[in-house]
Amino acid sequence: SDKLTAMKETIEAPSVAFGLKGGQVDITGASAKWRGASLSGSGTVGADGKLNIKAALENLQPDAIAPFYPDIAQYKIKGAVTAGVTVTGTAKAPKIDLSLTSGSLGLMDAVTFKNIKVATVLAGDLKALDKADLDLDISAAEASAGGVGLSNLAVKLKKAGQKVNIASASVNSGKGSIAGTGALTLPEKKGGEGEVDFTAKISGADLDFLAKSAGVAVPVGGTVDGTVTVKGPLSNPSLTVKAASPKVSASGFAVTDVALGLSGNAKEVKIEEFGAKFGGGLLGATGTVKLGDVPDATVDISGKDLDLAALTAGMPDAKEFGLGGKLNVNFKGRFAGASGKGEGAITSP
């Protein structure tokens, strides 16, 4: 037949080759087209009900899944997926090894994956699989988030009821790495609110690599270690950042013994702490940044015993002016978009 229809779904170009031996069915080959995807399979069904079947669904597009899962549109998935299935066990209690792979997959217009693979095992009563616990292994050779290049992504998840435990998550960024654990609590009903509690440890993050990945034109150097914690409702979780670096340089200027503390959410971030050795003295800052179409920042900056010669060492022709001495600096200001105002004082002890 050129096509078959079942449960309002059309199967195109169906073809099955099989043989019978005793009570066993040998499926030597099966193929079909469904919603633009190619389906193939083979295997055996024993007289005792035992299964050994392998199937693949290639070039599955997000639009093909949308009628069964309308909420998928909100994830803005771009890219084709290949599904591989191995079914063993019995018809009443099958074991299903499922893998999903894609050469290139995009999410939310912000995250992309290269050579991503998701694997899991389903077992038990088919009628209860939608409520079954799941172990998911996710890997990707490359990824990009917010313009930052990532590699060697590996995540292990375990779903039990409405809770998803992130047993481990790791990824490399340049020469640095990020590793984390945590949990997600999914909404119990449509329109409900989920929760997240996740902590990541950053080790040796390469600022030069991150800056270039994000398209920053200013040359930046140094490495950063720290922790990032995301906790609270999925719609607006709180963010806490603690970071430190032995040295950070940008455009010829350098600070050492840097410590940074941030807290906030998607609407506002507080600079709880910033401290560094700079220009022979100490530099500190606190402030608040309101996020949005036009960021609004309020800052309080102080510097003590700053060496003027060291501060200007990276400037062209600075030596010709013979600048020297130490300075104390205080500044408070507010900046919104391209406008700003503030006041401060510079004194020399």
Side-chain angles (χ1 to χ4, degrees):
S1 175
D2 291 337
K3 62 177 66 177
L4 296 174
T5 301
M7 299 179 66
K8 297 182 180 182
E9 288 296 315
T10 299
I11 307 298
E12 299 179 349
S15 174
V16 179
F18 65 91
L20 296 174
K21 185 176 182 181
Q24 179 171 295
V25 179
D26 292 320
I27 304 170
T28 55
S31 63
K33 292 276 189 180
W34 175 74
R35 289 182 173 268
S38 299
L39 175 65
S40 62
S42 62
T44 61
V45 180
D48 53 1
K50 289 186 177 181
L51 307 172
N52 186 3
I53 299 172
K54 291 186 177 182
L57 187 62
E58 299 181 355
N59 194 37
L60 181 63
Q61 299 288 340
D63 291 346
I65 304 173
F68 309 99
Y69 185 57
D71 288 346
I72 196 174
Q74 65 182 313
Y75 300 109
K76 300 179 181 179
I77 300 175
K78 296 179 181 179
V81 173
T82 292
V85 181
T86 299
V87 183
T88 54
T90 65
K92 291 184 178 180
K95 177 187 175 186
I96 303 172
D97 291 271
L98 173 65
S99 67
L100 302 173
T101 61
S102 177
S104 179
L105 197 68
L107 297 175
M108 304 296 291
D109 295 330
V111 182
T112 59
F113 301 94
K114 298 292 186 182
N115 298 325
I116 185 171
K117 180 179 180 180
V118 180
T120 189
V121 177
L122 306 173
D125 186 353
L126 286 174
K127 296 179 181 179
L129 285 182
D130 60 332
K131 299 179 181 179
D133 294 347
L134 293 176
D135 288 328
L136 288 176
D137 289 341
I138 304 171
S139 63
E142 297 178 15
S144 176
V148 177
L150 305 170
S151 62
N152 299 324
L153 172 70
V155 181
K156 290 185 178 294
L157 306 177
K158 183 177 181 64
K159 177 183 178 293
Q162 298 304 114
K163 192 162 187 178
V164 179
N165 287 308
I166 306 170
S168 65
S170 62
V171 69
N172 293 337
S173 179
K175 296 179 181 179
S177 63
I178 303 171
T181 59
L184 295 171
T185 303
L186 303 176
E188 294 188 1
K189 58 183 179 180
K190 188 175 181 180
E193 181 69 277
E195 298 277 334
V196 60
D197 187 353
F198 182 78
T199 298
K201 181 180 179 181
I202 303 170
S203 301
D206 187 338
L207 294 178
D208 178 60
F209 175 83
L210 294 173
K212 289 180 179 177
S213 296
V216 176
V218 177
V220 180
T223 60
V224 173
D225 297 327
T227 59
V228 178
T229 300
V230 182
K231 188 174 184 178
L234 287 171
S235 60
N236 187 27
S238 64
L239 173 72
T240 303
V241 177
K242 293 286 187 180
S245 175
K247 182 178 180 180
V248 176
S249 62
S251 297
F253 294 94
V255 293
T256 59
D257 297 336
V258 181
L260 174 67
L262 304 175
S263 66
N265 52 36
K267 297 180 179 179
E268 182 177 283
V269 175
K270 290 184 178 180
I271 305 171
E272 303 280 2
E273 170 197 12
F274 173 78
K277 292 180 180 179
F278 179 58
L282 299 175
L283 185 66
T286 57
T288 301
V289 180
K290 295 181 180 179
L291 306 175
D293 294 336
V294 180
D296 188 333
T298 301
V299 295
D300 186 344
I301 302 172
S302 64
K304 183 178 180 181
D305 293 332
L306 303 179
D307 188 317
L308 187 56
L311 287 173
T312 58
M315 298 181 180
D317 303 323
K319 292 183 179 181
E320 295 182 7
F321 295 97
L323 299 175
K326 291 190 175 183
L327 302 174
N328 293 331
V329 178
N330 289 284
F331 176 81
K332 293 183 179 180
R334 179 184 176 188
F335 302 89
S339 63
K341 63 178 180 179
E343 59 181 14
I346 299 175
T347 60
S348 180

